[in-house]
Amino acid sequence: MAMDDSRRSADGDLERARAALDRGEVHHAADHLAGAIAHAPTLPEIHELLGRLATRADGGLELFPLEQHAFVGTVVARAHLLAAAGRPEDGLPLLAAASGHTPGVDWAGVPWVSDPGLGERMEPGLLARIVMQLCTTIGDPAPEAGRAALRPYLTLVGHAVRAHADHAMLLGAGSALARRLGEAEQAVRWATRGARLRPSKLAEIWLGYAYRSAGRIPESLAALRRAVMYDPDDLSVYADIAGTLADHGRMDDALDWIDRALAKNPDDDCAVHTGHRLRYRADGDLAHLVRLADFQRDHFDDTHEHTDLAECCADQPWLSRVPSGPDSPPDPAREPFVAGAPTPAAVERLHRAAHPLWPHPPAAYDAALGLVLVEPEDLLALIAHPPAAPDDEVGRALAAHDPDLWRRCAQVWACLGLLHHRTEEPWPFSIRRRLLVDLAKGGVDRITEAALFALITYAWVDPAARSDVAALVGRRLAAAAGSPTLAWSIAHLALATPDLSPENRERAAAIIKAEEHAALLTIPRQRNRRAGLLRRWISGR
């Protein structure tokens, strides 16, 4: 259906471009042509019309200017015109930039990219730099669904390697691209040849990664250790060695490499992130993740993205998602805490912010900033009267398959929104704390869950609040222990709480073990499978 829509949009833009060109309105024609190429980048009719524009004295380039935040269709059209003008080396970086922007789109599936002559003529160092830049944007490995759209670049590298067989950097960059596209053996061949031609730290890293992709772990570790010998102060390589060892069952050796790295620099971001992730894998202690979150907050660096915290939290109840479960009415003992229904504006803002998944608790806190313009009274109304799911793809999926999950999700995000009001007030005496504590203590129900999660999330981002929140969670855990619908979930909330006492952590673990044993006897297996599939679909996995 999406492909049909794209083709119809391309045909419409193409028709308008032809009409504009017939009227002599070349700039309008170029605008429509850029729109068409964005929808169907390899459609022959589009390239025929581009060819007509290329016959202009300037090759049509002024019709597709490169400006800040240029439209991707404009960038791609300019790349093709540059190639038509005999300047493919100038067009290729633009095409690669488009592929980095949306890797799954077939921007490069055109004859001039796969022409063997381009690989022969192009300066190999320039091609290597373009490929390395592309590699930083397409994922490692690239998603399988989008690899076909990137293969023309690999074909181009193959042609260039045949023409420049002794260019070590081209071989290394080509190896990096090959392994991202699932061609591990080709990656090994190119990286091996490059390391032999010009031994260096970078060549050994390329080789180590290629061996690892091919499943040849001893050779991978040997190459990465050689890279360390070239540069003993590059602690990112220590982290790579540690990660590889841990992934293959050698956790003690992995932690030894991390300790060596941290002894050199306790604040090295790669070593710190990898160390906390591996220690959490080794013993499951939440303190490692909390320390990692603290490190990320205190050492913000937007030039090097790490996903260790999100990987550790992935698919864990409350650490990364609202857990599914049967709905239940508010506790009859809960007194009314708001009058009236939420305003339409409040509902709209909640629809934009709320989602059943988040990378980790600090990310959920940041995402809830979008609710700062919703007044506390409206947030309380959203908690008391959760609105229907939004009319979008995720909302429709939840409404169809798990409507109870959406209602819980709405309450969770409304509680998170309360954290962003009157933030200048010291936490112990703040209105935001009082409102959330009142909600958490007002009964034992889904509102309790939502308020506790907001309090726990705040404990992740403010170390000064941790002892207060941990004590409150411990008390609510005891109160919920006899609830057949809430004990399991609140126990998971407790296990997500920073600085929870060992006794409460043991109590929460025991509740979860008992509840999950009972669930094995009563919950149909198919239902569990559907919930898992829904989560994977929503998260894009």
Side-chain angles (χ1 to χ4, degrees):
M1 181 63 72
M3 292 181 63
D4 291 342
D5 290 344
S6 293
R7 179 57 189 265
R8 281 195 292 270
S9 297
D11 287 341
D13 275 321
L14 191 56
E15 183 178 347
R16 288 185 284 272
R18 288 195 186 101
L21 195 57
D22 290 341
R23 295 192 302 268
E25 299 172 356
V26 291
H27 286 280
H28 286 157
D31 289 342
H32 290 303
L33 199 54
I37 208 167
H39 289 295
T42 61
L43 192 64
E45 293 91 331
I46 294 174
H47 291 272
E48 290 174 9
L49 200 57
L50 266 177
R52 289 175 59 184
L53 293 179
T55 61
R56 293 167 56 85
D58 60 357
L61 291 174
E62 94 286 355
L63 300 174
F64 301 95
L66 284 185
E67 301 170 341
Q68 191 174 17
H69 309 302
F71 176 53
V72 66
T74 300
V75 173
V76 173
R78 185 178 180 88
H80 293 316
L81 290 178
L82 285 165
R87 298 164 54 191
E89 68 281 356
D90 294 330
L92 187 67
L94 301 181
L95 212 59
S99 292
H101 179 262
T102 44
V105 178
D106 193 13
W107 303 114
V110 289
W112 67 267
V113 175
S114 299
D115 180 6
L118 177 60
E120 296 170 1
R121 294 191 309 272
M122 197 163 182
E123 198 279 311
L126 172 61
L127 178 56
R129 290 191 293 275
I130 294 171
V131 170
M132 285 189 287
Q133 181 62 36
L134 178 64
C135 285
T136 64
T137 60
I138 63 174
D140 187 6
E144 287 191 27
R147 291 180 187 178
L150 298 166
R151 290 197 178 278
Y153 296 107
L154 192 60
T155 300
L156 171 59
V157 172
H159 293 151
V161 166
R162 282 189 284 275
H164 308 282
D166 60 349
H167 199 283
M169 183 170 288
L170 176 63
L171 288 162
S175 172
L177 179 60
R179 67 182 176 80
R180 282 171 168 81
L181 300 186
E183 300 291 341
E185 294 305 325
Q186 180 65 77
V188 168
R189 286 193 294 272
W190 281 344
T192 300
R193 193 192 312 175
R196 191 178 299 126
L197 284 167
R198 183 171 295 179
S200 67
K201 179 185 78 170
L202 185 56
E204 295 293 356
I205 289 174
W206 275 326
L207 182 56
Y209 291 169
Y211 276 136
R212 187 170 63 188
S213 295
R216 297 165 61 175
I217 304 307
E219 293 101 320
S220 172
L221 291 168
L224 293 175
R225 288 189 183 104
R226 290 194 295 271
V228 170
M229 294 175 65
Y230 279 105
D231 184 0
D233 293 325
D234 186 348
L235 302 186
S236 66
V237 183
Y238 290 61
D240 283 336
I241 292 173
T244 302
L245 288 165
D247 288 343
H248 292 84
R250 298 172 58 183
M251 185 61 76
D252 289 343
D253 291 338
L255 294 176
D256 179 63
W257 274 91
I258 285 298
D259 289 341
R260 290 169 59 185
L262 293 173
K264 286 177 172 289
N265 182 359
D267 291 327
D268 180 81
D269 61 335
C270 287
V272 170
H273 279 79
T274 303
H276 285 308
R277 172 169 59 85
L278 297 186
R279 294 186 201 285
Y280 178 72
R281 280 177 55 181
D283 60 23
D285 189 344
L286 186 77
H288 301 304
L289 303 189
V290 176
R291 293 189 193 108
L292 178 52
D294 290 345
F295 180 85
Q296 287 188 166
R297 183 186 62 249
D298 297 337
H299 299 79
F300 178 74
D301 180 7
D302 59 3
T303 65
H304 194 165
E305 182 181 3
H306 289 278
T307 61
D308 301 83
L309 183 55
E311 289 175 14
C312 291
C313 293
D315 207 33
Q316 297 200 48
W318 295 114
L319 287 177
S320 69
R321 62 180 174 89
V322 180
S324 293
D327 199 15
S328 59
D331 190 329
R334 184 179 292 280
E335 297 182 359
F337 52 86
V338 68
T343 63
V347 172
E348 181 183 355
R349 289 189 178 276
L350 181 73
H351 280 167
R352 288 204 296 265
H355 197 283
L357 306 175
W358 48 82
H360 43 72
Y365 176 84
D366 292 341
L369 184 61
L371 296 168
V372 69
L373 297 179
V374 182
E375 293 298 326
E377 293 76 12
D378 268 329
L379 290 170
L380 292 172
L382 289 167
I383 295 165
H385 310 289
D391 186 19
D392 58 21
E393 193 172 18
V394 171
R396 288 189 293 271
L398 290 173
H401 299 288
D402 198 345
D404 295 341
L405 178 59
W406 162 255
R407 286 191 286 273
R408 298 173 71 190
C409 177
Q411 292 173 322
V412 162
W413 283 89
C415 286
L416 287 171
L418 289 171
L419 291 174
H420 291 282
H421 285 273
R422 306 286 287 270
T423 55
E424 75 282 358
E425 296 177 345
W427 173 253
F429 313 106
S430 64
I431 290 177
R432 62 193 189 283
R433 179 191 181 277
R434 178 178 60 78
L435 289 173
L436 288 167
V437 170
D438 287 347
L439 290 170
K441 295 171 63 176
V444 180
D445 51 24
R446 297 304 184 194
I447 294 173
T448 308
E449 284 184 327
L452 284 176
F453 177 68
L455 290 162
I456 291 164
T457 297
Y458 192 75
W460 276 77
V461 300
D462 183 358
R466 286 176 186 164
S467 60
D468 170 45
V469 171
L472 173 65
V473 170
R475 292 192 294 272
R476 300 315 292 159
L477 176 66
S483 170
T485 58
L486 290 173
W488 179 89
S489 181
I490 291 182
H492 272 290
L493 279 165
L495 293 185
T497 304
D499 290 0
L500 190 73
S501 69
E503 306 85 63
N504 281 324
R505 195 164 296 280
E506 290 177 8
R507 178 184 299 170
I511 291 172
I512 291 170
K513 184 176 180 179
E515 292 288 333
E516 291 182 344
H517 177 72
L520 287 175
L521 304 177
T522 60
I523 297 179
R525 188 176 299 275
Q526 181 66 21
R527 179 181 175 184
N528 287 341
R529 181 174 179 273
R530 283 184 59 194
L533 290 173
L534 179 64
R535 285 197 300 274
R536 287 195 291 274
W537 182 85
I538 291 172
S539 66
R541 295 203 298 273

